[in-house]
Amino acid sequence: MNNINILIIDDEPQIRKLLQINLESNDYKVIQASTGKDGIALAANHRPDLILLDIGLPDISGHQVLNNLREWNNNPIIILSVQDNEADIIAALDNGATDYLTKPFRTGELLARIRAAIRKNQQVDNNSIITTGWLTIDLIARTVKINDSIIKLTSTEYSLLSILVKNEGKVLTHQYLLKEVWGENFQYETQYLRVFIGTLRKKIEKNPNNPSHIITESGIGYRFQ
């Protein structure tokens, strides 16, 4: 068995049992909670490497649990929910969810998404502090500073900026950025991307109309420099 701990927060016993069987058969360690409050407590006490979170919990909303966890927990959180409307998906991703999978889901796809989320998290270098000009980005602490002053970013703004920063100098297509930040179902929603690039530039650029860091590659995407 490997050292990866996964916390399941779901009120359906059948789903928890199914997940436990499949995860343990793939060498993951599993802990479980049936309510949001119990899930938060277990996450604080056990510090799991990844959390599988249901939105429809009996005591508090999964969105509330997600918001609480994201105040102190940076590990991957994958939403598993019967709710498949666009508003719920966007809200979860905007609030820091790593991924969103609709029930009923295919076990193979879930395992692949778990592997991808863990792999991405493990690739972050513990000394990943990037300074360029007046801008400093700490990829571990998830902070962005301009001349030592912290700039407040939403979870989505931070996710977008961190992807650009990690690929500094590389042109990233609209579709790639949309897929990485919002998910595969949003690869052609370029308006989302334009809006968030605009707000990011207003927050980190000295002159948003003539940006020095987030550069537009016309018709292709964006590049961080």
Side-chain angles (χ1 to χ4, degrees):
M1 184 171 282
N2 61 39
N3 293 319
I4 302 296
N5 291 285
I6 295 180
L7 168 61
I8 303 167
I9 307 176
D10 196 303
D11 66 324
E12 297 182 59
Q14 309 95 312
I15 293 291
R16 294 201 308 275
K17 187 64 176 177
L18 175 66
L19 289 169
Q20 180 183 10
I21 291 170
N22 283 294
L23 292 172
E24 289 183 346
S25 68
N26 282 272
D27 292 332
Y28 295 110
K29 298 176 183 177
V30 176
I31 51 177
Q32 303 180 28
S34 59
T35 67
K37 291 179 180 177
D38 286 347
I40 292 170
L42 283 175
N45 291 329
H46 293 273
R47 298 284 174 159
D49 300 288
L50 182 141
I51 297 171
L52 299 176
L53 173 62
D54 184 22
I55 292 295
L57 297 171
D59 54 345
I60 57 176
S61 165
H63 290 293
Q64 292 176 264
V65 176
L66 176 62
N67 286 333
N68 182 293
L69 292 171
R70 277 297 179 238
E71 291 178 1
W72 51 271
N73 188 314
N74 291 326
N75 285 341
I77 300 175
I78 298 177
I79 302 296
L80 301 179
S81 178
V82 294
Q83 301 176 26
D84 61 353
N85 65 79
E86 185 176 293
D88 266 306
I89 295 171
I90 293 172
L93 295 173
D94 278 348
N95 289 328
T98 307
D99 205 344
Y100 195 110
L101 201 57
T102 302
K103 297 177 183 177
F105 50 82
R106 292 172 293 185
T107 300
E109 181 180 4
L110 173 62
L111 291 171
R113 294 196 187 201
I114 288 172
R115 289 192 298 270
I118 291 172
R119 186 166 58 247
K120 284 182 182 179
N121 207 50
Q122 291 175 338
Q123 286 172 350
V124 177
D125 183 350
N126 288 332
N127 296 311
S128 292
I129 298 177
I130 297 170
T131 300
T132 174
W134 58 85
L135 191 63
T136 300
I137 301 149
D138 188 329
L139 296 174
I140 299 299
R142 294 171 65 92
T143 59
V144 179
K145 295 180 180 180
I146 292 179
N147 298 329
D148 295 325
S149 297
I150 291 181
I151 305 302
K152 286 198 69 174
L153 300 180
T154 67
S155 293
T156 300
E157 289 167 355
Y158 177 81
S159 296
L160 179 56
L161 180 60
S162 66
I163 290 170
L164 288 164
V165 167
K166 289 173 187 176
N167 292 276
E168 184 176 3
K170 181 180 178 181
V171 178
L172 302 179
T173 66
H174 299 123
Q175 286 72 29
Y176 176 84
L177 289 168
L178 286 161
K179 177 184 175 184
E180 290 298 303
V181 178
W182 284 273
E184 292 188 0
N185 292 332
F186 297 85
Q187 289 185 69
Y188 301 100
E189 302 290 345
T190 54
Q191 181 60 27
Y192 289 153
L193 191 54
R194 284 195 292 271
V195 169
F196 278 89
I197 289 290
T199 57
L200 260 184
R201 282 173 169 162
K202 288 177 182 177
K203 291 183 177 183
I204 72 169
E205 298 280 7
K206 286 187 175 180
N207 182 357
N209 295 320
N210 186 23
S212 301
H213 292 305
I214 302 177
I215 308 302
T216 299
E217 298 292 342
S218 184
I220 301 172
Y222 298 94
R223 170 174 51 86
F224 185 85
Q225 66 179 21

